Amino acid sequence: MSQKYHIITYGCQMNLHESEKMAGILRHMGYEECSSTQEADVIVFNTCCIRENAENHAFGNIGALKKLKKEKPGLIIAVGGCMTQEKGKTDVLKKKFPFIDVMFGTLNLEDLETLINRKRNQKKKVIEVLEKEREIIEFTDAYRTSYPNAWVNIMYGCNNFCSYCIVPYVRGRERSRKAEDIITEVRSLIEEGYKEITLLGQNVNSYNSDGKGGMTFAELLDAVASIDGKFRVRFMTSHPKDFNEDVVKVMEKHRKICRLVHLPVQSGSDRILQAMNRRYTSGKYLAEVEMLRKRIPEAELTTDIIVGFPGETEEDYLATEALVKQVDFASAFTFVYSPRQGTKAAEMADRIPEEIQKDRIMRLVELVNSLTRKKSEKYVGKTVEILCEGYDEKKGMYLGRDEFGRMGYFESESDALGEFVTLKIVRANGISLYGERVDVPIKED
Ligand code: 5AD
Ligand code: SF4
């Protein structure tokens, strides 16, 4: 009987894709996927450390395996991802959870096979976390689980050092993949039948900052969108300090590129933006939004916002609300500031009390939801193209997203997974839309 693996992923799209790479490695070793920790012979935690609650979540789930490991001593428990990459964290994990067998980081995930094999041959735990990034290892054997979307890394790491953010410490400096490797990967994904390509990087606009890519992000986007076939192109994340008209011109040129830009603003207050070391002002941000909408009037934006950053006054918070209203975001990811050890902001005085943070996040979420709901209502009666990505058993309906990331539900006689489907929207409920297929004749009984 074959051995089984189970991977538990926390965090962002970057991590989701890295779990796909880990799955590729484990399958190559002969392991098969299983859906629970109980059945697994190898359990991998792909952790995140961006906010304290992401860490606590992983801690809780790792701790819960103590009993299982006792019952099944042959089980291999491996912990990788961003958390192990934090300074001193492997020691903390070792103390807290002595039953962990393997620890590795974001910078050496390609070594998973070697590390697991080493563990199989020795009693001692295997801990290998690199301090410095190495040359990119090209990896095309990911076991993808997000069909019809495929994640494609264009770069790794981050050079920005926003004062609140731990990412540069756990993912190293920016390294760009060679454009030709990216284009070859996308071409083969399209040939395999993927219908949506999401180009991934912490700051895609600074692609090629190390000169290793061979072209700018705008040129890369142009090259990817020039590949033949019906598919969508998305990219994330853009940084407002580097987002530029060249990219928007490429968006204008290719209908394949979704008219949605994820442009994290973080705050609407210039004082806070400066303390965050974001290197733009709210004025520059708004000018970029105007430039985008001038060239592509239907363009939508999504964003990330942090409330309760050290020193944030009510006035600063209200500046964020004002900016949110002015931009009229399609949606926003909103976070309460979480101090991360080793970052500049963690040393800042003037922490904001929890009640104030909670009050601000609740007001902001309400504001963002009201904008999203208003946009949903405008959808009713419109015809939109959805890329079907799954089936909701509870609702008994297929679901998929339009180019702006809006979820649409519909009934279908035939299996619609991976198809572009045209829907007439008949109802909106919060962020979800409900539609009727208008691209296939309705079967009459
Ligand atoms: N506290 C709260 N939110 C954070 N983010 C990054 N670091 C922190 C932190 N320390 C948010 C930012 C970023 C998103 C991925 O996570 O908004 O854009
Ligand atoms: Fe992703 Fe950042 Fe979390 Fe790492 S720390 S998983 S890069 S969000």
Side-chain angles (χ1 to χ4, degrees):
M1 216 178 68
S2 73
Q3 299 239 301
K4 298 202 163 77
Y5 72 86
H6 184 64
I7 303 179
I8 301 166
T9 311
Y10 306 86
C12 60
Q13 284 81 2
M14 196 69 80
N15 259 28
L16 282 179
H17 185 38
E18 280 168 356
S19 288
E20 294 179 336
K21 291 182 186 177
M22 292 175 196
I25 294 172
L26 293 164
R27 295 175 84 83
H28 172 79
M29 293 172 76
Y31 287 101
E32 275 177 21
E33 190 179 17
C34 68
S35 55
S36 79
T37 51
Q38 301 295 322
E39 296 167 75
D41 300 285
V42 173
I43 299 171
V44 183
F45 287 91
N46 189 8
T47 61
C48 170
C49 61
I50 196 130
R51 282 170 294 274
E52 198 185 351
N53 55 9
E55 287 202 338
N56 289 343
H57 204 170
F59 276 153
N61 291 349
I62 297 170
L65 290 188
K66 189 173 172 184
K67 192 161 153 256
L68 186 65
K69 176 75 182 178
K70 248 199 196 132
E71 290 164 6
K72 206 171 156 182
L75 168 69
I76 294 179
I77 299 178
V79 180
C82 294
M83 194 162 93
T84 43
Q85 203 66 56
E86 272 181 273
K87 217 176 173 175
K89 225 18 171 284
T90 50
D91 288 335
V92 174
L93 286 164
K94 220 160 68 178
K95 267 210 198 106
K96 240 177 138 73
F97 309 114
F99 53 85
I100 297 175
D101 300 290
V102 176
M103 290 190 220
F104 61 107
T106 58
L107 302 177
N108 67 336
L109 79 88
E110 300 84 359
D111 298 341
L112 187 60
E113 176 167 2
T114 318
L115 301 178
I116 289 180
N117 281 335
R118 212 191 290 160
K119 175 62 207 172
R120 279 165 152 180
N121 296 323
Q122 71 182 49
K123 240 180 128 4
K124 237 175 74 187
K125 52 178 92 272
V126 175
I127 302 180
E128 201 162 293
V129 176
L130 304 184
E131 285 204 356
K132 244 189 109 46
E133 55 283 346
R134 55 190 180 191
E135 289 277 303
I136 292 177
I137 299 175
E138 273 303 318
F139 189 96
T140 50
D141 226 7
Y143 174 65
R144 295 179 180 274
T145 50
S146 58
Y147 179 82
N149 174 68
W151 311 108
V152 175
N153 286 117
I154 64 166
M155 60 197 293
Y156 302 92
C158 179
N159 288 353
N160 294 319
F161 290 93
C162 300
S163 64
Y164 51 81
C165 189
I166 200 162
V167 171
Y169 302 92
V170 296
R171 289 191 169 269
R173 298 292 72 72
E174 283 176 6
R175 286 97 67 208
S176 298
R177 281 180 74 194
K178 268 203 213 96
E180 61 195 271
D181 291 338
I182 299 167
I183 295 162
T184 305
E185 183 177 2
V186 174
R187 219 178 249 129
S188 70
L189 288 166
I190 300 305
E191 272 165 23
E192 282 171 46
Y194 286 90
K195 301 289 166 56
E196 185 176 85
I197 300 294
T198 307
L199 304 176
L200 288 179
Q202 304 294 349
N203 176 8
V204 292
N205 305 105
S206 70
Y207 173 74
N208 199 35
S209 63
D210 57 352
K212 297 269 170 75
M215 54 174 80
T216 65
F217 176 62
E219 288 163 343
L220 176 68
L221 190 61
D222 191 12
V224 166
S226 298
I227 295 172
D228 282 340
K230 169 130 177 102
F231 64 98
R232 285 177 178 169
V233 182
R234 298 186 187 277
F235 55 90
M236 64 188 311
T237 296
S238 299
H239 193 307
K241 88 178 160 62
D242 301 315
F243 185 68
N244 62 40
E245 198 153 12
D246 290 350
V247 172
V248 179
K249 281 184 190 159
V250 175
M251 290 175 71
E252 244 182 326
K253 182 172 157 195
H254 297 277
R255 203 57 196 84
K256 275 183 186 141
I257 305 174
C258 294
R259 267 86 176 98
L260 175 73
V261 179
H262 183 60
L263 198 62
V265 68
Q266 312 297 0
S267 170
S269 152
D270 288 342
R271 211 174 58 80
I272 296 296
L273 285 172
Q274 196 176 12
M276 287 176 162
N277 190 30
R278 290 290 287 174
R279 286 175 278 179
Y280 56 84
T281 58
S282 57
K284 174 167 158 60
Y285 187 92
L286 291 169
E288 280 170 9
V289 172
E290 199 183 315
M291 176 272 289
L292 171 67
R293 287 193 168 140
K294 206 165 190 180
R295 286 195 173 272
I296 308 177
E298 74 277 21
E300 292 278 9
L301 289 114
T302 55
T303 200
D304 294 345
I305 299 169
I306 299 175
V307 297
F309 186 81
E312 186 189 66
T313 62
E314 177 64 14
E315 199 186 342
D316 293 320
Y317 168 74
L318 290 174
T320 300
E321 276 200 359
L323 183 136
V324 167
K325 285 182 199 150
Q326 192 169 345
V327 177
D328 191 20
F329 290 108
S331 70
F333 299 95
T334 51
F335 309 105
V336 169
Y337 169 69
S338 168
R340 305 282 66 211
Q341 211 182 2
T343 61
K344 280 249 164 70
E347 307 299 318
M348 289 179 188
D350 211 2
R351 289 267 179 91
I352 305 301
E354 213 180 300
E355 318 85 76
I356 298 185
Q357 288 185 320
K358 271 198 189 139
D359 175 61
R360 287 182 189 159
I361 192 89
M362 271 160 48
R363 285 149 71 197
L364 187 61
V365 166
E366 188 39 54
L367 171 62
V368 169
N369 286 349
S370 72
L371 297 179
T372 310
R373 274 196 302 267
K374 243 184 240 151
K375 280 184 197 278
S376 290
E377 281 151 23
K378 284 200 190 136
Y379 267 96
V380 177
K382 280 196 185 151
T383 302
V384 297
E385 189 182 60
I386 297 279
L387 173 57
C388 178
E389 60 188 56
Y391 183 75
D392 185 314
E393 297 280 347
K394 267 198 205 142
K395 289 191 164 79
M397 295 175 111
Y398 284 92
L399 64 138
R401 278 169 226 270
D402 75 348
E403 66 173 311
F404 305 114
R406 234 6 138 76
M407 194 67 90
Y409 292 86
F410 60 99
E411 284 173 359
S412 175
E413 301 262 340
S414 56
D415 182 0
L417 181 67
E419 275 180 38
F420 287 97
V421 171
T422 310
L423 293 188
K424 177 145 199 249
I425 303 302
V426 292
R427 187 164 68 85
N429 180 7
I431 54 168
S432 305
L433 309 172
Y434 293 82
E436 281 165 5
R437 264 190 102 149
V438 292
D439 56 347
V440 285
I442 295 173
K443 219 169 110 185
E444 298 204 11
D445 290 325

